[in-house]
Amino acid sequence: MSTFQAPKGTYDLLPPDSAVYLAVREAIAAPLRRAGYGYVETPGFENVELFSRGVGESTDIVTKEMYTFTTKGGTRLALRPEGTASVLRAALEANLHKAGNLPVKLWYSGSYYRYERPQAGRYRHFSQVGAEAIGAEDPLLDAELIVLAVDAYRSLGLSDFRLLLNTLGDKTCRPAYRAALQDFLRGLDLDEDTRKRIEINPLRVLDDKRAAVRAQLTGAPRIADHLCEECKAYHEQVREQLTAAGVRYEDDPHLVRGLDYYTRTTFEFVHDGLGSQSAVGGGGRYDGLSEMIGGPELPSVGWALGVDRTVLALKAEGVELPLPRATDVYAVPLGEEARRALFTAVTALRRDGVAADLAYGGRGMKNAMKSANRSGARFALVAGERDLADGVVQLKDLDSGEQTPVRLDELVATVKERLR
Ligand code: AMP
């Protein structure tokens, strides 16, 4: 194995493509910021129990995909496989829920780790932007989060995504549904792992992607037929608000998602240009999670959108994001004195907000001009001894080739004017 090879299931973000990732993160965050969500950052690892209790003992994420390790001090830690449990843990630890302003609205952006079988769109290290609204039970809040995700996708120029919507009921109506589902599932021809799952978390069996299992699930009892009146009314309000906000959704009674903590509203965004790994984001309400990890009752709702797959979705739709130029002005000094003068000029440009770079390493004119062209800059700034003696530099428009002398003391103003 070469030492110059990223670990299996991972990849590096490099320029120029990395700029697209930054823009995607920013586009997802922008609607959240406008809706009162504050930025939260938590460690990349947590105590294992946070996830085994929070995400669920029966989930693939915890049983198969978590990167766990023991520290030199003997503590069992896990690289975070998802964001919600950590964010809730952080909010509880800092008593944010006691500050009197519920819901506590938080957003995050970061790296997540799952030991999955790598394939297109599925990695062992991936990146998500997520949002959580902690401590309020209100269908309008569920709708808000869904609308914010839709607005993020739309602002990126995506259109081939669909919203799948379901409700999983609550502690009043879910137990009876769970029992009915278990009765049905026990009668099917399933492997041992799946049989175990029936006993621990039967709803997860509905999430099975294998065709042989899916075929047997057609007659399964549907949660929609078992909802209590409160859950029905709650779900109806979520749907009404989505419609009022111009958001279309598809009811998907099989949508349970891969984590144990969801109650009531669950949703997933799928993109039709992505093949088998079509989920670009998802989330839902998790009213019981706080208690599951040892906190007070704090009904909450949230989502996480995958950055990697959003970038793939942009490619699939042929959307090119309008990215700012990396470099507006590229300085090409001819001689030692010009190097120093242009270094000063470039610094002044940067300090005034112009993206500027310089040909370093004392290369010749031809070579440096090549770099100027490659940099994508609008202008080259060329200067030799004679120019400096006259107090000017040559501003060359790299599109038209036209070159004009500009007084050094007017350079910043002139460049800014011409860039406008
Ligand atoms: P989840 O936490 O499983 O609900 O995932 C939320 C979103 O994160 C998914 O819709 C994907 O876009 C993204 N995601 C989850 N797992 C992976 C992975 N292994 N590789 C790339 N993206 C992922």
Side-chain angles (χ1 to χ4, degrees):
M1 193 201 349
S2 160
T3 41
F4 295 135
Q5 192 163 32
K8 186 175 174 190
T10 73
Y11 64 101
D12 303 303
L13 295 184
L14 302 166
D17 295 352
S18 49
V20 177
Y21 284 73
L22 282 181
V24 165
R25 289 189 187 118
E26 191 45 49
I28 299 174
L32 294 169
R33 287 207 191 91
R34 287 194 292 268
Y37 290 73
Y39 180 66
V40 60
E41 201 164 310
T42 65
F45 49 80
E46 296 273 355
N47 285 314
V48 168
E49 301 86 73
L50 176 68
F51 300 119
S52 48
R53 282 205 264 162
V55 178
E57 295 280 11
S58 77
T59 60
D60 283 350
I61 292 180
V62 166
T63 55
K64 297 186 195 147
E65 297 167 4
M66 214 151 55
Y67 283 87
T68 54
F69 59 100
T70 306
T71 66
K72 291 194 177 92
T75 311
R76 292 279 295 156
L77 297 176
L79 297 186
R80 57 184 182 190
E82 59 102 50
T84 303
S86 310
V87 169
L88 186 58
R89 194 268 307 138
L92 290 170
E93 187 172 334
N95 280 318
L96 297 186
H97 59 297
K98 290 186 185 156
N101 221 2
L102 294 177
V104 176
K105 290 176 160 189
L106 300 169
W107 75 273
Y108 59 86
S109 172
S111 293
Y112 296 85
Y113 308 87
R114 294 182 196 171
Y115 190 75
E116 297 196 83
R117 205 158 44 77
Q119 62 181 92
R122 190 163 72 187
Y123 313 104
R124 291 180 172 176
H125 164 259
F126 57 96
S127 122
Q128 292 182 337
V129 175
E132 315 291 347
I134 297 164
E137 192 176 48
D138 185 338
L140 267 53
L141 192 56
D142 305 36
E144 166 178 294
L145 274 163
I146 294 174
V147 170
L148 293 173
V150 169
D151 288 355
Y153 289 139
R154 285 185 186 166
S155 79
L156 284 164
L158 288 173
S159 48
D160 296 345
F161 63 91
R162 289 180 290 129
L163 166 60
L164 310 180
L165 186 66
N166 193 19
T167 175
L168 297 179
D170 65 2
K171 55 184 179 219
T172 310
C173 53
R174 185 113 121 237
Y177 171 64
R178 189 177 188 272
L181 183 62
Q182 280 176 323
D183 277 349
F184 171 85
L185 294 174
R186 286 187 192 118
L188 303 184
D189 175 23
L190 298 167
D191 59 279
E192 196 179 334
D193 270 359
T194 312
R195 296 200 150 276
K196 272 194 205 135
R197 189 167 285 160
I198 296 173
E199 305 312 317
I200 309 169
N201 189 343
L203 271 77
R204 293 250 313 114
V205 180
L206 297 180
D207 201 27
D208 205 306
K209 302 285 189 282
R210 292 170 295 179
V213 179
R214 295 212 73 85
Q216 297 186 69
L217 293 175
T218 19
R222 294 153 59 107
I223 181 72
D225 303 324
H226 289 76
L227 293 177
C228 60
E229 288 310 313
E230 283 81 22
C231 281
K232 258 189 217 160
Y234 192 98
H235 198 55
E236 207 34 55
Q237 262 209 61
V238 174
R239 296 161 53 144
E240 275 168 19
Q241 292 306 133
L242 290 179
T243 304
V247 169
R248 273 205 299 232
Y249 55 84
E250 295 169 26
D251 292 307
D252 181 352
H254 279 178
L255 182 74
V256 296
R257 315 217 346 98
L259 298 84
D260 274 358
Y261 51 56
Y262 288 111
T263 51
R264 290 198 170 164
T265 314
T266 49
F267 51 90
E268 193 154 275
F269 293 97
V270 292
H271 191 277
D272 291 326
L274 292 191
S276 69
Q277 300 305 308
S278 63
V280 285
R285 179 156 278 284
Y286 49 93
D287 292 341
L289 180 58
S290 173
E291 287 154 296
M292 279 159 74
I293 64 171
E297 189 182 335
L298 274 178
S300 307
V301 55
W303 51 242
L305 309 190
V307 174
D308 312 73
R309 288 187 200 165
T310 304
V311 171
L312 292 173
L314 288 168
K315 282 200 190 119
E317 287 197 40
V319 177
E320 296 245 0
L321 297 181
L323 299 173
R325 260 177 218 274
T327 309
D328 293 318
V329 177
Y330 196 96
V332 176
L334 310 173
E336 193 50 35
E337 196 192 336
R339 266 165 51 80
R340 287 190 222 132
L342 287 190
F343 182 87
T344 305
V346 160
T347 300
L349 284 165
R350 290 173 181 165
R351 285 181 173 158
D352 227 315
V354 178
D357 202 356
L358 177 87
Y360 288 100
R363 284 170 291 156
M365 164 94 174
K366 207 170 144 200
N367 207 318
M369 280 309 290
K370 258 191 209 157
S371 299
N373 283 312
R374 267 195 222 114
S375 77
R378 256 302 294 289
F379 297 106
L381 210 55
V382 188
E385 265 166 53
R386 196 164 342 131
D387 298 306
L388 295 177
D390 294 343
V392 299
V393 293
Q394 304 293 329
L395 188 64
K396 181 171 183 180
D397 187 318
L398 288 172
D399 294 335
S400 67
E402 177 200 349
Q403 185 168 304
T404 40
V406 177
R407 285 176 53 92
L408 254 178
D409 53 8
E410 287 167 4
L411 178 67
V412 174
T414 307
V415 166
K416 287 181 78 170
E417 176 60 35
R418 295 206 40 195
L419 280 172
R420 211 177 294 144

